């Protein structure tokens, strides 16, 4: 079962999840693919190969490698080259900011081949911070300099773009770190809709520790993270994610602006008011029709796919 964890939901600070003054600008993020896996091997979970592409996925530890890993995250492209994305329930501010947790990319069998990076600040939507809204269970974190020569994380392992819109009906590859294993696991299957704001995937053996695992679609973009309904799901064989939409994009821009130092900013493309194709990264969400999925409970017990230290 995915572990029950977080108590207390108000994690906001003055810098977390404030969108009102943000520009609605779209950024097209184009980076190499990652998440190497045979897409034909659907609904089969196995050890992820130790490739340079898979190195962009890592485990989150409390303090250092001796603290044990409790969630998963992945590197996403940013101008500061220092961002990861994970589930919001993985990184409450009072337990994670200021280096209290570290990200270890490509962690395997007790080894950190690229070093570790302290989590300096966390950005989550106010609806999560204040109410624990399961439709807002995604967070971005800015990393400090790594232990491997002070490099930025993206310079060390690369990064992925973000995909805004449903991954429903597409092959999705998820890679994550169960809390009771020292090797990342990977599975590919077809994502399906779960209500209007979430999506789900059947992949066996994604228990505690896999919260925050990236959902990677064709082309290498991250279209979700394990989280959302029941904070990732209460069945290790079924996982959930919120659909990345306008709030996720605004949250990304807020976190990106916090990274330092920054190269010269490239001109951005204004968002068109017309709906865009769901296959295009970082475009406005398409209008959605209600699915036949059952209504999600909003006040049930908090069950998550993380193992809290």
């Amino acid at each position: 079962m995915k572990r029950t964890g977080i108590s207390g939901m108000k994690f906001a600070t003055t810098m977390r999840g404030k969108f009102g003054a943000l520009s609605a600008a779209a950024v097209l993020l184009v980076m190499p693919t990652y998440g190497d896996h045979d897409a034909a091997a659907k609904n089969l979970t196995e050890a992820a190969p130790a490739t340079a592409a898979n190195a962009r996925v890592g485990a989150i530890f409390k303090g250092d490698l001796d603290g044990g890993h409790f969630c998963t995250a992945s590197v996403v492209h940013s101008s500061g080259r220092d961002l990861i994305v994970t589930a919001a329930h993985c990184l409450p501010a009072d337990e994670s900011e200021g280096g209290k947790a570290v990200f270890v990319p490509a962690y395997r069998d007790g080894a950190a081949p690229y070093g570790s990076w302290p989590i300096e600040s966390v950005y989550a939507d106010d609806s999560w911070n204040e109410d624990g809204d399961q439709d807002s269970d995604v967070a971005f974190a800015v990393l400090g300099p790594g232990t491997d020569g002070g490099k930025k994380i993206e310079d060390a392992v690369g990064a992925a773009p973000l995909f805004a819109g449903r991954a429903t009906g597409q092959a999705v590859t998820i890679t994550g770190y169960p809390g009771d294993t020292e090797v990342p696991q990977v599975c590919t299957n077809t994502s399906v809709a779960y209500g209007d704001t979430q999506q789900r995937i059947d992949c066996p053996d994604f228990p505690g520790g896999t919260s925050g695992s990236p959902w990677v679609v064709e082309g290498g973009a991250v279209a979700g993270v394990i989280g959302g309904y029941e904070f990732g799901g209460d069945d290790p064989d079924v996982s959930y994610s919120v659909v990345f939409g306008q709030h996720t994009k605004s949250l990304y821009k807020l976190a990106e602006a916090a990274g330092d130092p920054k190269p010269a900013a490239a001109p951005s493309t204004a968002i068109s008011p017309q709906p865009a194709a769901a296959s295009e990264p970082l475009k406005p969400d398409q209008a959605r029709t209600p699915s036949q999925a059952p209504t999600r409970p909003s006040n049930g017990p908090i069950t998550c796919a993380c193992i809290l230290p």
Side-chain angles (χ1 to χ4, degrees), residues 234-255:
D234 58 3
D235 183 340
D237 298 335
V238 182
S239 297
Y240 298 82
S241 171
V242 303
V243 174
F244 287 177
Q246 184 62 49
H247 278 212
T248 304
K249 292 185 288 183
S250 297
L251 185 64
Y252 163 83
K253 294 298 294 180
L254 180 69

Side-chain angles (χ1 to χ4, degrees), residues 29 31-32 34 56 74-78 158-162 216 220-222:
L29 306 178
M31 296 295 289
Y34 77 101
R56 298 163 196 168
S74 58
V75 186
V76 291
H77 175 61
S78 67
L162 292 176
V216 178
V222 176

Side-chain angles (χ1 to χ4, degrees), residues 105-125:
Y107 175 77
R108 188 176 294 259
D109 292 328
Y114 298 93
S116 63
W117 276 259
I119 292 173
E120 296 294 348
S121 55
V122 180
Y123 296 83
D125 194 305

Side-chain angles (χ1 to χ4, degrees), residues 3-7 62 67-71 89-92 95 208-209 211 302 304-309:
R3 294 282 298 276
T4 299
I6 300 164
S7 60
K62 183 175 182 178
H69 58 91
F70 60 92
C71 269
H89 70 257
C90 285
L91 295 175
E95 296 182 16
S211 274
I302 300 171
C304 67
C306 65
I307 293 178
L308 296 178

Side-chain angles (χ1 to χ4, degrees), residues 64-85:
D64 54 35
L65 268 63
D66 293 333
H69 58 91
F70 60 92
C71 269
T72 303
S74 58
V75 186
V76 291
H77 175 61
S78 67
S79 58
R81 308 181 71 78
D82 53 6
L83 278 190
I84 57 172
V85 64

Side-chain angles (χ1 to χ4, degrees), residues 20-265:
L22 289 174
S23 169
V27 179
L28 182 61
L29 306 178
V30 180
M31 296 295 289
T33 63
Y34 77 101
D36 294 349
H37 189 234
D38 180 4
K42 290 191 174 182
N43 199 28
L44 173 65
T45 298
E46 58 190 1
T51 65
N54 282 336
R56 298 163 196 168
V57 180
I60 300 176
F61 287 76
K62 183 175 182 178
D64 54 35
L65 268 63
D66 293 333
H69 58 91
F70 60 92
C71 269
T72 303
S74 58
V75 186
V76 291
H77 175 61
S78 67
S79 58
R81 308 181 71 78
D82 53 6
L83 278 190
I84 57 172
V85 64
T86 187
H89 70 257
C90 285
L91 295 175
D94 56 352
E95 296 182 16
S96 62
E97 293 181 350
K100 295 177 184 177
V102 298
F103 174 70
V104 183
Y107 175 77
R108 188 176 294 259
D109 292 328
Y114 298 93
S116 63
W117 276 259
I119 292 173
E120 296 294 348
S121 55
V122 180
Y123 296 83
D125 194 305
D126 281 346
S127 60
W128 165 264
N129 295 330
E130 297 170 3
D131 301 317
D133 180 8
Q134 295 181 28
D135 287 335
S136 301
D137 192 8
V138 59
F140 294 92
V142 177
L143 303 180
T147 59
D148 185 13
K151 292 180 181 177
K152 294 293 187 75
I153 185 65
E154 192 169 332
D155 295 328
V157 299
L162 292 176
F163 175 100
R166 285 192 179 278
T168 301
Q170 299 188 47
V172 171
T173 297
I174 55 176
T175 306
Y177 287 82
D180 58 357
T181 69
E182 297 298 288
V183 175
Q185 303 296 299
V186 63
C187 173
T188 296
N189 208 346
T190 301
S191 172
V192 299
Y194 190 70
D196 293 334
T197 56
Q198 299 205 24
Q199 47 204 349
R200 56 166 279 179
I201 190 170
D202 294 344
C203 271
D205 302 322
F206 274 78
T210 59
S211 274
S213 298
W215 294 38
V216 178
V217 295
E218 183 179 0
V222 176
V225 296
I226 290 182
Y229 171 63
E230 292 292 339
F231 296 77
D234 58 3
D235 183 340
D237 298 335
V238 182
S239 297
Y240 298 82
S241 171
V242 303
V243 174
F244 287 177
Q246 184 62 49
H247 278 212
T248 304
K249 292 185 288 183
S250 297
L251 185 64
Y252 163 83
K253 294 298 294 180
L254 180 69
E256 184 185 42
D260 183 62
K262 288 288 189 296

